[in-house]
Amino acid sequence: MTSLVVGQSLGLTLVGDGVSFRNSRRQGVKSKFFLRNRKRLTRAALVQARPREDGAPASPPPSSSRPTPAPVVQYKRADLADDLQAEARALGRAVDASVYSPELIARKHGSQPLKALRRSVEILTALGGFALKLGIDQRQGKLEVNMKKRAGELRRIFTRLGPTFVKLGQGLSTRPDLCPPDYLEELAELQDALPTFPDAEAFACIERELDLSLESIYSSISPDPIAAASLGQVYKAHLRYSGQVVAVKVQRPGIEEAIGLDFYLIRGVGKLINKYVDFITTDVLALIDEFACRVYQELNYVQEAQNARRFKKLYADKADVLVPDIFWDYTSRKVLTMEWVEGTKLNEQVAIESQGLKVLDLVNTGIQCSLRQLLEYGFFHADPHPGNLLATPDGKLAFLDFGMMSETPEEARFAIIGHVVHLVNRDYEAMARDYYALKFLSPDVDVTPIIPALRDFFDDALNYTVSELNFKTLVDGLGAVFYQYPFDVPAYYALILRSLTVLEGLALYADPDFKVLAASYPYFAKRLLTDQNPYLRDALIELLFKDGKFRWNRLENLLQQGSKDRDFSSKDALQPVLKLLLDPNGEELRLLVIKEAVRVSEAFALGSVVDTYNSMPEFMRSLVFSGNGNGPLTMNPTELESTLELRDQVARIWGLLQSSESFDPAILQPIVQVLQQPEARRLGGRVAGGVGQRLAARFLQQLLRATTPSPSPIT
C-alpha cells in the first residue's frame, strides 16, 4: 500500500492511511500514545515511519499488524437509484437512534440517584450563585444597571456546564418572550467552543459505526479535528474510491447519556416553575420538551443528512446558493460524511474582499434565501451563525450544519405577509389580531391593552422610511412588547427573526448604513403582486385601497421594489388582479375599480385637453377658449394639479411594467380575453358612461362660465 506524507512540516508518514506526528512535543506524545495502544484501536494502527538509507519510502508494517481492509463501497452519485439505496442503508444504520421521551429518561436516570445528585449539585452550585447575585441586585435596586454584566456571567456559566446548557442558552437567545434584550444579545454569542475529545475515540467510532476500516474509506484524514462543537467534531478527509475531499463529523462519546441526565434534571425544575411561579405564564415544561426534541434530533446524523438533502432540493436551485452533497454509504447516526466546502466565514470581511468578493452581495443572497425558507416552503435553517455560512471562492453562499432545522406552518407564512401589510398601513388593531393567527396569543387573551404598546413603538419607528429602518431596532422593540405581555412566541418565528438579525449584523460590518428591511422589501413586494393565494390577494387589496380610493403611489412603490427582485415578472403581476376583478364574488372590488377607472380615464382625457391648450400659440388660446384666463377647464389649481399627477403616475406605472425583462405585448392577450366576457363588457360600458358624464358636466360648466358676464363691482 502506498505511503502518503501528511505534510513536509510533520516529518512522518501515513502508513495504511493512519496518521502520526513527531515534530512537536504534543504531537510526539500523541504518536507514542497511538503506538502503545495500537491493539486497542479498531483498524486504526498508526506507525512511525523511519526513512530508509536508500531514500525510499518507509515500508508498511507486516499485514498481520493490521486488519484486512473491508470491501470498498462504490458510491455512484450520478445514479439516483444507487443514491436512494445508499440512503436506505444509512437509515438502517440509524434504526436504533434514540428519540426523546420524558418517560424513558425518567426511568433511566431516576434509577441512578447518586449520579443525578452529583450533577444536580454541580448545576445548582453554578446557577445558585448566579441567582443569588440577581437577588442582591434586585434588593439593591441595581437589576437594570447590572443586567448586561449578569447576562455575560450567565453565558460563561452555560459554557462551563457543557453541551446541554450551551444548547439551552442558544435556544433562549431566540426567545424574546422569555428573556430581556440584554440577555438575548449576550446568549446569542454562545459558541460551541468545548474541548475536543481524543482522535483515537473518533476514529474508532467511525469504524464501529460504518463497519469498515479507516483505510478502506479514506486515502487520508486530518490528524486533528478541523472544528469542534458541543455535540461532535469534524475532520477533513479524502475518499479512497474517488479522491473527493469530504468533511467527516463524528459525535462526541457519551453525549447522549449526558444530555439525557441534564434534561431529566431540567424537567424537574420546569415542573416546579409551572406549579409555583405565577408570574411566568408560559408552559415551561412544554418549552423544555420541545427544545429537548430538537437536541435529540441533532444527535441523529442521518436525520441531519436528510435535512441537508431536503434543503438542497428546495433552495440550491439558485446559482448563488451552495449546499454540500451527502455521502450516504459513509453516514450513520454518529458519523456524517458530506462534501467538503472551501470557503471563508461570512464575518471575515477582509479575507472575503481579498478574493474579489463583496460581503453585501453574499448577505443579500442570505436574506433572499432566508425569506424563501420562511415564506415559500417553510423549511428553514434554524442556526445560521457566521460559522455555518461560508463565502466560496466563486462567490456562492454555502450553508452548513443542518442539525437544527424548523418549519413555518403554511397558514403562518401568509399571516406574516399580512402582518407586514398591516404594519405598513399602521393598522395596529389588525396587527394585534394577527397574533391570534400566528399563535402568539391564545384566543382568550384580550388584545386591547397591546394596541397602544404597538402604536407607541411603531409610530416612532415608522417615521423612518423602509430603507432607513434598522431591523434589530424593530426586533428589539417587538421583543420588549412580547416580554411585557402574555405572548408565547413560536420557535419558528423567533428563529427566523434571529436569522435575519444575524445577517444584518454581518452586513453592518461592511456597510454601517445597510438595512435588512430594505433588502427584504423587494421580495415582499413581488410576492404581493404575483402570488395568487387568496390571502395574499386580499392583503394586496387592503394595501392598495383605503376609504374607497385607490392608492396609486402604493402600487408604484410595489412595482419599483418588486422589479428589484430577480424573479419578478410583470406578466405574473397582472394575472392575479385580472382573475380577482372578474371573480363572481368580487362585486365590491368591481365597484371600487369602476370608480377608479372613471377617475383615471377622466385624468387622461382632461390631461390631453390641457396639453393641447398649452401647446397652442397665445392668440389661438383666446379664440378657442374664452373666459377669465383660467385655462381650458374650470378647475381650481389644486384639483388640476392632482388630476395631472394621477395621469403621470399611471403612465409611470405602465412604464415600470414595460421595463420588466419579462414584458411582452402578448401579456395583453389575457386582458383582451377578459374584455370579451359579458361581465367585462358591462364593466367597460359603465366606465365609458361614467367618463362621458364627467366630461359632459365639465364642458357644460365651462360653456356656462364663458357666456355669463362677470358681475360689476359694487361701489
Side-chain angles (χ1 to χ4, degrees), residues 54-306:
D54 58 3
S59 300
S63 59
S64 60
S65 67
R66 68 167 184 263
T68 303
V72 177
V73 178
Q74 296 298 321
Y75 196 86
K76 300 178 181 179
R77 298 281 318 159
D79 191 330
L80 179 60
D82 283 357
D83 192 44
L84 292 174
Q85 291 173 7
E87 182 180 354
R89 290 192 292 271
L91 286 168
R93 288 189 288 272
V95 70
D96 59 343
S98 297
V99 177
Y100 175 70
S101 168
E103 294 78 15
L104 287 179
I105 65 171
R107 277 202 301 270
K108 179 177 181 178
H109 297 289
S111 63
Q112 301 173 338
L114 290 179
K115 188 175 182 180
L117 179 62
R118 284 195 298 270
R119 180 59 172 166
S120 297
V121 171
E122 182 182 2
I123 295 171
L124 289 174
T125 301
L127 295 181
F130 176 76
L132 180 61
K133 290 180 181 179
L134 286 182
I136 294 173
D137 287 345
Q138 186 171 22
R139 189 177 186 86
Q140 296 178 347
K142 296 182 178 180
L143 204 58
E144 294 291 331
V145 175
N146 291 338
M147 185 173 290
K148 183 71 175 176
K149 177 182 177 182
R150 299 296 178 230
E153 291 176 2
L154 184 62
R155 175 178 58 82
R156 290 187 289 274
I157 289 171
F158 280 170
T159 301
R160 288 198 305 271
L161 288 175
T164 307
F165 286 86
V166 168
K167 289 292 179 185
L168 180 62
Q170 291 174 335
L172 287 173
S173 72
T174 68
R175 300 305 302 251
D177 54 332
L178 297 179
C179 296
D182 284 336
Y183 280 84
L184 294 176
E185 186 173 344
E186 194 69 35
L187 293 176
E189 296 179 9
L190 266 173
Q191 299 296 317
D192 291 343
L194 294 176
T196 61
F197 57 90
D199 300 312
E201 294 185 34
F203 296 152
C205 177
I206 294 173
E207 296 186 312
R208 184 172 58 251
E209 284 287 310
L210 302 181
D211 197 24
L212 295 169
S213 65
L214 209 64
E215 61 266 28
S216 72
I217 305 172
Y218 313 114
S219 58
S220 67
I221 186 168
S222 60
D224 290 304
I226 302 299
S230 57
L231 302 184
Q233 56 196 38
V234 179
Y235 295 85
K236 184 178 182 180
H238 290 77
L239 291 178
R240 173 168 292 284
Y241 86 91
S242 66
Q244 186 162 359
V245 185
V246 293
V248 185
K249 184 176 177 180
V250 187
Q251 193 170 113
R252 186 177 293 272
I255 188 69
E256 187 177 318
E257 177 81 10
I259 286 177
L261 175 58
D262 283 345
F263 277 120
Y264 167 69
L265 299 174
I266 293 170
R267 287 192 91 254
V269 176
K271 290 178 181 178
L272 294 176
I273 292 174
N274 277 355
K275 187 172 183 179
Y276 297 110
V277 182
D278 295 332
F279 67 87
I280 296 180
T281 57
T282 303
D283 185 346
V284 176
L285 202 59
L287 287 178
I288 293 170
D289 287 339
E290 178 189 356
F291 181 69
C293 282
R294 293 183 185 278
V295 174
Y296 267 73
Q297 286 174 3
E298 287 191 73
L299 293 175
N300 183 357
Y301 285 175
V302 172
Q303 178 65 55
E304 180 175 345
Q306 290 182 309

Side-chain angles (χ1 to χ4, degrees), residues 221 262 364 482 611:
I221 186 168
D262 283 345
N364 271 310
F482 292 163
D611 290 343

